[in-house]
C-alpha cells in the first residue's frame, strides 16, 4: 500500500479570504494565537521555534501546523518535538518568503496557528525503516522516539549535504542511524521484509525510495509539489476575456499564473489546503478536461 499526501481538501476548511492575492492578514478563523517562547539555530539555514499557549491541543508523530503569518502567507510545518512537552516545536529551513518570515520571528512574537493535523500518521508497528533527507527529519524525529519508546525494531537512514546542514543529529539514538553525506547507495537496503518504510525528503529521494520499494507499507510525506506526470497543456484565462497564459504539460496553472502575478495565494501546492482555490478550482493541481480554463475571479 502506498500512502502519501494527495488530496486532503476535505480535511481542511478551504475558506480563505483573499486580499491582494494573499490570504487576508488579520485573524484566521479558528486559529490559535501562540507565543514564540524559544528560537534556536539548529543547523545551517534551519531555525527551530517553540510555540506556547494555554492548553495546546494534543498531537501525534506526523502532525503538522498551519502557520498564518503576519504578511498573510500561510505555510505548513511539521511538529518535531515531544508530544508530552507543553510547547509545540517546529524547525524551518530558509527557502523563500514564508520560511524567511517564520525564521524572522523572535521570542515574544505571536503567530497564528491552525491544527495540529496529521496527514502522515505513524502506525507504531515494527519493524520500521525511516528515511529522511535534510529538513525532512522533522516529521520523522518524533516517530523515531515513539518507535524507541515502543521497543520497536527500527533503523533510520538520514541523508544530507553535510552534517552542519542536518538538524537534530544530536537528538538521535546512537547505533541505529545511518548518516549519509551526499548522494549514493541504496536507501532501503536495511528494510525488513514485511516491515514499514516512512520517508520524508526531497523529490529525488522519494523517487529513489519508490523505485527501490517492493514491500507492503510505504508511507511518505512531501513538503512541496510532486512532479506532474501525464499532464496535458492548456490555456488559462484570467477573468473572462482577460489575459491568456499557456500552461505546459509539466507545470501547474498556479506556477504559470505566479510568473505573471507573483502575489497569487498558495500554500501546500499539493491540493490539500485550499489556499489557492479560485471558483472551486485548486489551481495548484487541477487541470481542465478541455484545453481552456477560465478563472473569472482572478
Ligand atoms: C505537510 C507539510 C509539512 C511541512 N513541514 C516543513 C518543516 O517541518 N520544515 C520546513 O522547513 N518546511 C516544511 N514544509 C514546507 C513549508 O510549508 C514551505 O513550503 C517552505 O517553508 C517553503 O515556503 P517559502 O514560502 O519559504 O518558499 P516559496 O516561496 O513558497 O518557494 C517554495 C519552493 O517553490 C519554488 N517556487 C517558487 N515559485 C515558483 C514557481 N513560480 N514555479 C516553480 N517553483 C517555484 C521555490 O524555488 C522553492 O523551491 C512542509 C510542507 C508541508 C506540505
Ligand atoms: S490546495 Fe494548497 S496551495 Fe493549492
Amino acid at each position: 500500500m502506498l500512502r502519501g499526501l494527495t488530496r486532503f481538501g476535505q480535511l481542511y476548511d478551504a475558506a480563505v479570504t483573499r486580499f491582494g492575492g494573499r490570504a487576508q492578514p488579520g485573524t484566521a478563523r479558528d486559529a490559535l494565537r501562540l507565543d514564540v517562547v524559544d528560537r534556536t539555530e539548529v543547523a545551517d539555514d534551519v531555525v527551530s521555534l517553540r510555540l506556547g499557549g494555554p492548553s495546546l491541543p494534543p498531537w501525534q508523530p506526523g502532525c503538522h501546523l498551519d502557520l498564518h503569518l503576519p504578511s498573510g502567507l500561510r505555510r505548513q510545518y511539521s511538529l518535531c518535538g515531544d508530544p508530552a512537552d507543553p510547547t509545540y516545536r517546529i524547525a524551518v529551513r530558509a527557502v523563500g518568503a514564508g520560511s524567511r518570515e517564520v525564521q524572522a520571528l523572535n521570542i515574544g512574537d505571536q503567530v497564528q496557528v491552525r491544527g495540529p493535523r496529521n496527514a502522515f500518521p505513524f502506525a507504531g508497528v515494527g519493524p520500521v525503516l525511516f528515511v529522511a533527507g535534510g529538513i525532512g527529519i522533522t516529521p520523522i524525529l518524533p516517530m523515531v522516539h515513539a518507535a524507541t519508546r515502543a521497543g520497536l525494531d527500527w533503523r533510520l537512514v538520514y541523508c544530507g549535504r553535510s552534517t552542519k546542514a542536518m538538524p537534530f543529529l544530536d537528538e538521535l539514538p546512537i547505533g541505529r542511524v545511518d548518516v549519509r553525506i551526499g548522494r549514493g547507495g541504496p536507501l532501503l537496503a536495511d528494510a525488513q521484509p514485511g516491515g514499514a518504510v516512512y520517508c520524508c525528503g526531497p523529490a529525488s529521494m522519494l523517487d529513489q525510495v519508490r523505485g527501490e520499494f517492493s514491500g507492503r507499507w510505504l508511507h511518505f510525506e512531501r513538503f512541496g509539489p510532486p512532479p506532474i506526470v501525464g499532464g496535458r497543456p492548456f490555456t488559462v484565462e484570467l477573468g473572462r476575456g482577460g489575459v491568456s497564459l499557456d500552461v505546459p504539460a509539466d507545470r501547474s496553472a498556479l506556477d504559470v499564473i505566479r510568473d505573471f502575478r507573483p502575489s497569487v495565494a498558495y500554500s501546500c501546492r499539493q491540493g490539500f489546503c485550499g489556499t489557492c482555490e479560485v471558483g472551486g478550482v485548486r489551481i495548484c493541481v487541477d487541470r481542465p478536461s478541455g484545453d481552456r480554463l477560465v478563472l473569472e475571479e482572478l
Side-chain angles (χ1 to χ4, degrees):
M1 176 179 282
L2 213 66
R3 301 196 52 176
L5 276 174
T6 48
R7 180 146 187 155
F8 279 83
Q10 59 274 40
L11 298 180
Y12 283 76
D13 174 1
V16 176
T17 49
R18 288 186 172 73
F19 178 77
R22 288 183 165 192
Q24 184 174 5
T27 306
R29 196 153 53 85
D30 306 328
L32 301 168
R33 199 176 274 276
L34 303 184
D35 299 313
V36 177
V37 295
D38 185 56
R39 181 188 183 283
T40 312
E41 291 189 18
V42 288
D44 285 355
D45 291 335
V46 181
V47 168
S48 140
L49 298 178
R50 279 190 185 276
L51 306 174
S55 46
L56 298 183
W59 63 280
Q60 302 78 37
C63 278
H64 66 267
L65 298 177
D66 234 5
L67 263 63
H68 294 246
L69 298 168
S71 65
L73 291 177
R74 186 177 145 185
R75 296 288 183 268
Q76 291 82 27
Y77 294 100
S78 302
L79 285 163
C80 61
D82 181 343
D85 280 352
T87 56
Y88 290 151
R89 183 174 73 166
I90 57 170
V92 178
R93 184 169 71 95
V95 178
S99 51
R100 289 179 200 281
E101 188 175 349
V102 179
Q103 289 203 348
L105 292 168
N106 277 310
I107 294 173
D109 288 344
Q110 283 202 326
V111 63
Q112 294 185 71
V113 161
R114 289 177 76 193
R117 295 195 171 88
N118 203 343
F120 188 32
F122 177 50
V125 179
V128 190
L129 178 67
F130 300 108
V131 183
I135 194 66
I137 192 67
T138 50
I140 298 288
L141 186 64
M143 296 184 190
V144 163
H145 291 309
T148 304
R149 279 194 299 273
L152 302 185
D153 175 6
W154 66 266
R155 296 281 180 283
L156 165 65
V157 178
Y158 184 14
C159 307
R161 59 177 194 279
S162 71
T163 52
K164 284 179 158 183
M166 298 167 73
F168 306 125
L169 271 175
D170 56 335
E171 295 186 18
L172 291 166
I174 295 167
R176 296 181 178 220
V177 183
D178 174 5
V179 175
R180 307 253 188 106
I181 306 302
R183 289 169 153 264
L187 293 168
L188 301 193
D190 283 343
Q192 307 246 5
V197 173
Y198 289 80
C199 175
C200 187
S204 56
M205 169 180 270
L206 295 185
D207 287 348
Q208 185 179 339
V209 164
R210 292 174 74 160
E212 288 179 32
F213 187 71
S214 59
R216 282 189 66 202
W217 302 103
L218 173 60
H219 310 256
F220 64 94
E221 183 162 70
R222 293 181 187 276
F223 285 178
I228 297 169
V229 178
R232 289 192 331 133
F234 63 97
T235 300
V236 62
E237 193 176 309
L238 309 187
R240 196 163 285 282
V243 173
S244 288
L245 304 170
D246 290 332
V247 181
D250 60 351
R251 297 194 75 197
S252 68
L254 172 70
D255 286 343
V256 170
I257 295 169
R258 286 189 64 220
D259 289 346
F260 173 74
R261 191 177 290 170
S263 60
V264 70
Y266 70 95
S267 182
C268 70
R269 295 186 298 157
Q270 299 178 55
F272 67 84
C273 76
T275 307
C276 69
E277 193 164 303
V278 183
V281 176
R282 297 191 173 196
I283 57 174
C284 65
V285 288
D286 289 345
R287 306 180 90 81
S289 50
D291 58 7
R292 197 163 195 85
L293 174 65
V294 180
L295 299 173
E296 298 196 13
E297 296 169 32
L298 270 184

